[in-house]
Amino acid sequence: MQWNVHERMRRYRVPAMAVAVIEGGRVVWSATYGIDGSVRLPATNERFQAASLSKGVTGSLAAILASRRVVDLDAPVDRCLAPLTLPPGKQDAGHPVTLRNLLHHTSGTTVNGFDGYAPGEPVPTPEQVVRGETPANSPAVVIATPPGSAYAYSGGGYTVAQIALSHCADASFDELMRREVLTPAGMRDSTFVQPLPASIPHAVGHAADGTPVPGGANIYPELAAAGLWTTPDDLARWLIGVRDAEEGRPSFMPTDAAITMLAPGMNKYGLGVFVSGEGEHRRFMHSGGNFGFKSSYVMFLGSGNGVVVLTDGDNGSYLGGEFIKAVAAAYGWPDYAPRVATRATLDEKTMIRYIGHYRFKDADSRGNPDLSLFREGARWFLDLPDIGRTELLPTSALAFVAPETGYPVTVDDDGSLRVGSRVARKTQD
């Protein structure tokens, strides 16, 4: 299927999308699309919340400071935390919490992500976030597994790293970022200041139903995990700089720092980035989601091709995924090409038993966890809590794919429904 970008923005209720396309290690074009049909070339300097894309920028900072021996990635992190102390947990002298395992998501720390704080609400310090103290709206970070033993994505761990980097370098985190990464990388329209000053042009976040986030955007004191405000051109400069550094060209970061950052650990995660593939497929990437904002990027290290997508809507991950596939197809990338699905004959008699209402086990804290599987004539649909009705294409007797989202949809013997990697249980109503 092919659609116009503005049709897809209206479909997903995303008012603005800003993108930058990189070819051969340089930005070849950027644009800001509006749901009203507008296109501005190049992209404007309107800032978007980058959410978890912040983690990669944090990783580059840590690698730079380690290269200069301001921090030691493998020393116990406690020495950089005082007066904060890590909670007792699964760490010990042989398995300490370090900056490296915090940034690799292998430190054993808990708290996956953060909801942010509405403008006007009390905002906790990073230390209060780690301790789970009022006014923090997230639980305390604990060391739930022995450091180094397993991968578990943890924004809580990145908040510990934020405090440690700031203490060891003797500077506030946003100032440290400005001095060591943003300014040297040419990211003149980016900042880790939270809340963002009203005088700076910025997008307003939108919920899945298209309504604006109250106050425009939530505040995230968890800067290392989720605090970056940026533009697609600025993020593209950062991506190019990381690749240049690894290849030994002039950059904002030393070559050894880039090599350290891009060395994958468990689950192919480096310092703040996923690193995957070999040869022409080797790339680093990340996606992110704050309330009302969704974002993603990918950078191929061999070819120097890449793309950045920033959106101001909770359904922006769907839109961004489609845009990245369109870029991949247009530029002949070795990965991210749209998948081809072949229609199959459905076992209608069996599938009819699965028609009904379901509830996701891991629903987003703000979202409706309910969904439905239903049929209209010979056509099958899911009604999802975020984007609503989406048509399904049968790919086997008991399986579908949702062409819009790319989600495989399968049924289990216990009556549950699998939508992508998520499981939903049938309700009684």
Side-chain angles (χ1 to χ4, degrees):
M1 297 183 180
Q2 291 185 342
W3 295 282
N4 176 282
V5 65
H6 297 106
E7 292 173 342
R8 306 313 289 159
M9 294 177 74
R10 289 190 287 272
R11 166 69 177 97
Y12 295 125
R13 298 180 289 274
V14 175
M17 177 174 70
V19 304
V21 175
I22 305 163
E23 189 175 21
R26 65 185 184 90
V27 177
V28 290
W29 63 274
S30 67
T32 299
Y33 297 94
I35 199 170
D36 59 1
S38 63
V39 183
R40 287 166 285 181
L41 298 166
T44 67
N45 68 347
E46 185 177 52
R47 282 69 159 178
F48 289 72
Q49 284 193 347
S52 284
L53 305 195
S54 308
K55 292 180 173 69
V57 185
T58 298
S60 66
L61 170 66
I64 290 167
L65 295 180
S67 176
R68 296 215 310 264
R69 301 190 178 181
V70 175
V71 299
D72 183 340
L73 294 176
D74 297 308
V77 76
D78 308 67
R79 66 187 64 177
C80 284
L81 292 177
L84 179 71
T85 57
L86 285 172
K90 299 295 186 178
Q91 74 273 35
D92 57 34
H95 302 87
V97 176
T98 67
L99 274 171
R100 192 187 301 274
N101 58 41
L102 285 166
L103 299 175
H104 275 179
H105 296 303
T106 57
S107 63
T109 51
T110 58
V111 186
N112 181 283
F114 301 102
D115 290 339
Y117 300 83
E121 288 183 349
V123 177
T125 65
E127 289 80 4
Q128 288 173 321
V129 170
V130 171
R131 296 187 184 112
E133 295 174 350
T134 303
N137 60 13
S138 53
V141 177
V142 300
I143 318 300
T145 59
S149 66
Y151 172 92
Y153 193 89
S154 173
Y158 266 71
T159 307
V160 174
Q162 172 184 330
I163 297 166
L165 290 168
S166 181
H167 285 192
C168 267
D170 194 26
S172 66
F173 190 80
D174 61 287
E175 172 57 24
L176 192 58
M177 274 293 191
R178 185 195 63 78
R179 186 180 74 210
E180 302 291 345
V181 178
L182 303 182
T183 297
M187 300 173 72
R188 59 182 177 271
D189 292 322
S190 300
T191 184
F192 277 83
V193 171
Q194 290 271 352
L196 189 70
S199 60
I200 295 178
H202 64 277
V204 170
H206 293 80
D209 63 3
T211 58
V213 172
N218 276 2
I219 298 163
Y220 291 83
E222 307 91 358
L223 304 180
L228 176 64
W229 284 92
T230 192
T231 66
D233 288 279
D234 270 10
L235 264 179
R237 292 184 188 100
W238 177 78
L239 294 172
I240 293 166
V242 172
R243 174 178 178 262
D244 283 345
E246 193 198 38
E247 296 201 343
R249 289 191 290 271
S251 173
F252 71 93
M253 66 189 305
T255 294
D256 65 332
I259 291 171
T260 296
M261 176 185 166
L262 296 174
M266 292 182 185
N267 201 41
K268 300 180 181 179
Y269 203 87
L271 300 186
V273 294
F274 289 96
V275 185
S276 184
E278 301 291 339
E280 68 173 349
H281 302 277
R282 185 168 174 257
R283 60 199 183 273
F284 67 101
M285 62 216 135
H286 218 291
S287 60
N290 283 356
F291 181 32
F293 295 88
K294 295 292 184 289
S295 54
S296 57
Y297 66 71
V298 59
M299 183 69 178
F300 286 88
L301 288 156
S303 64
N305 298 336
V307 63
V308 177
V309 181
L310 305 175
T311 74
D312 66 352
D314 264 347
N315 292 332
S317 54
Y318 299 111
L319 179 66
E322 291 183 14
F323 186 84
I324 290 174
K325 289 177 182 177
V327 171
Y331 286 85
W333 288 1
D335 300 281
Y336 294 95
R339 296 201 315 272
V340 176
T342 302
R343 183 181 290 273
T345 300
L346 193 68
D347 181 349
E348 298 268 354
K349 181 180 290 188
T350 300
M351 280 305 306
I352 285 174
R353 300 204 303 262
Y354 289 91
I355 290 175
H357 301 289
Y358 292 79
R359 180 162 295 157
F360 280 124
K361 295 195 301 179
D362 61 342
D364 183 277
S365 61
R366 293 188 188 87
N368 178 353
D370 299 319
L371 66 155
S372 299
L373 175 68
F374 64 98
R375 183 179 67 166
E376 290 182 355
R379 299 166 68 191
W380 288 75
F381 298 87
L382 274 184
D383 188 4
L384 293 167
D386 48 6
I387 61 173
R389 171 179 165 138
T390 183
E391 189 165 4
L392 301 176
L393 171 72
T395 55
S396 74
L398 298 174
F400 303 92
V401 68
E404 285 189 306
T405 66
Y407 289 158
V409 179
T410 58
V411 295
D412 287 346
D413 293 339
D414 64 359
S416 61
L417 193 68
R418 290 184 180 270
V419 182
S421 61
R422 302 175 70 191
V423 177
R425 304 292 186 192
K426 200 167 188 179
T427 60
Q428 297 302 313
D429 56 343

